[in-house]
Amino acid sequence: YVSRSEDAFVPEILRKVRGWSVLTVGERTSFAQTRGGVIGLYQLPGDSQLRFEINLTHAEEAKLKISARLLALAKVIRD
């Protein structure tokens, strides 16, 4: 899990776990979209509901399989 306070270290963290089967989760939408993470947690403006997105390309690169039940709840991204 990479919190917002560690945002500056995201590239280094992801580089260190590349090639390992590690599920990376971060607090920003960009974490899964453009930064290389697998799951990004976010909230829409004015909404208190926590949402998440899963980048299937990054999951496959990490040799992770995400269940269909979890994917049904997420916003799914493919690079």
Side-chain angles (χ1 to χ4, degrees):
Y1 177 77
V2 182
S3 69
R4 286 180 190 253
S5 64
E6 302 298 318
D7 202 45
F9 302 105
V10 169
E12 180 182 349
I13 292 167
L14 294 176
R15 186 172 48 255
K16 286 184 177 183
V17 300
R18 186 170 291 134
W20 294 76
S21 293
V22 175
L23 176 63
T24 52
V25 180
E27 287 185 354
R28 295 187 182 274
T29 305
S30 63
F31 186 78
Q33 290 180 359
T34 60
R35 304 211 53 196
V38 177
I39 297 178
L41 305 173
Y42 66 97
Q43 287 179 302
L44 296 175
D47 188 357
S48 62
Q49 185 175 7
L50 185 62
R51 301 170 189 270
F52 66 100
E53 55 191 14
I54 298 174
N55 190 312
L56 283 179
T57 303
H58 298 163
E60 290 166 1
E61 289 170 354
K63 300 174 187 79
L64 299 172
K65 294 183 181 181
I66 309 295
S67 77
R69 290 172 62 181
L70 188 59
L71 290 172
L73 299 172
K75 175 182 173 186
V76 178
I77 301 167
R78 274 205 177 270
D79 287 344

